[in-house]
Amino acid sequence: MIRTEYRLVVMALLIAIFCFDLCYPWMNFNSYTSRKRTDLKKRCPNVRAQRNFDLEPMMGNWYVVQYYASTEELPEYACMRSHFTFTSDDQHITMNFSYIYAEDPLREKLQGNITWEIPDFNTPAHWIHTEDIYEGIYNTYVLDTDYKSWGLIMHCAEKKKHPRYLSALLLSREPTLGENVINFLKEKLPRYDIDLSFMFAINQTTCDNLMESSKDDPLAYIVNGRKNAKTMFKIILKN
């Protein structure tokens, strides 16, 4: 009887060790989901945008190499890129951006845009969203940039009876950015109550042949210049 109980105890220990070995990477990856977030404040922080900011050199193409949002608890995105333009006619800044969901097997490229106005040209690194879908004022700040290599911008909006929405984009002119520069820029965020453990790297590899949704047909995609999605979807659904 004692020998049988001893065997059961040993088996239980072995199973526990086996499960721990398998589950630990997942637990380590998702450990922050079980923690209570400390960055969900009610009000937006007081922000001082970059001084002596020059708008024109900031324009153009950027890779988003790291991303933070107060609504995100898991890394979800890949291939996120943005393109800034400034139109002198209406004095508006527009960011056209694209991204994919990292776990999307079809790697469909999603696109959108945001438009800002500059409320005071004495502080051109502070922008306000022009879209009327936001409740109240949605501020964007350029926290720091050297224009030619890296940049850091932050957005914040307040909504009644809800925590503020706060996000930050770490930008690079190239698909990758040096670790020392990343750390230098990330160190600027905790002063705004941003929890850096929820700032996620964005994979920028294999992003050249993404599937682009056609505006004419939501089930039509362009893959390497060929519209073959309906056939592809039939194959996928059949499998």
Side-chain angles (χ1 to χ4, degrees), residues 1 5 15 31 92 120 136 223 225:
M1 183 68 177
E5 292 178 352
I15 291 172
S31 59
H92 283 172
D120 182 359
V223 184

Side-chain angles (χ1 to χ4, degrees), residues 47 49-50 53 58-59 62-64 66-68 80 82 84 93 95 97 114 116 125-127 129 139-145 150-156 166-172 185 188-189 192 194 199:
V47 180
Q50 179 175 339
F53 176 72
M58 182 70 185
M59 301 298 100
W62 292 93
Y63 296 88
V64 182
Q66 292 211 6
Y67 173 87
Y68 166 89
M80 186 179 290
S82 59
F84 293 88
I93 303 163
M95 179 179 75
F97 60 92
I114 300 172
W116 297 277
H126 171 215
W127 312 336
H129 290 230
N139 292 288
T140 293
Y141 303 91
V142 180
L143 298 182
D144 202 356
T145 183
W150 48 263
L152 179 64
I153 64 175
M154 189 178 76
H155 318 283
C156 194
L166 185 64
S167 65
L169 302 178
L170 203 161
L171 307 173
S172 173
L185 294 174
K188 299 177 180 292
L189 297 176
Y192 304 116
I194 288 180
M199 190 161 190

Side-chain angles (χ1 to χ4, degrees), residues 105-106 211 221 229-239:
L106 296 177
M211 302 175 66
Y221 295 82
K230 290 186 176 179
T231 303
M232 184 181 297
F233 267 85
K234 289 179 181 178
I235 296 173
I236 293 173
L237 293 175
K238 183 178 181 180
N239 292 339

Side-chain angles (χ1 to χ4, degrees), residues 26-27 29-37 73-74 198:
W26 184 91
M27 292 169 60
F29 181 73
N30 295 282
S31 59
Y32 40 76
T33 60
S34 62
R35 289 193 295 108
K36 184 177 180 180
R37 295 190 69 150
E73 294 190 346
L74 292 169
F198 291 97

Side-chain angles (χ1 to χ4, degrees), residues 16-46:
I17 293 171
F18 177 74
C19 289
F20 182 80
D21 288 339
L22 286 179
C23 297
Y24 179 75
W26 184 91
M27 292 169 60
N28 186 50
F29 181 73
N30 295 282
S31 59
Y32 40 76
T33 60
S34 62
R35 289 193 295 108
K36 184 177 180 180
R37 295 190 69 150
T38 60
D39 54 348
L40 301 181
K41 309 295 183 181
K42 288 292 185 181
R43 303 296 300 273
C44 287
N46 293 321

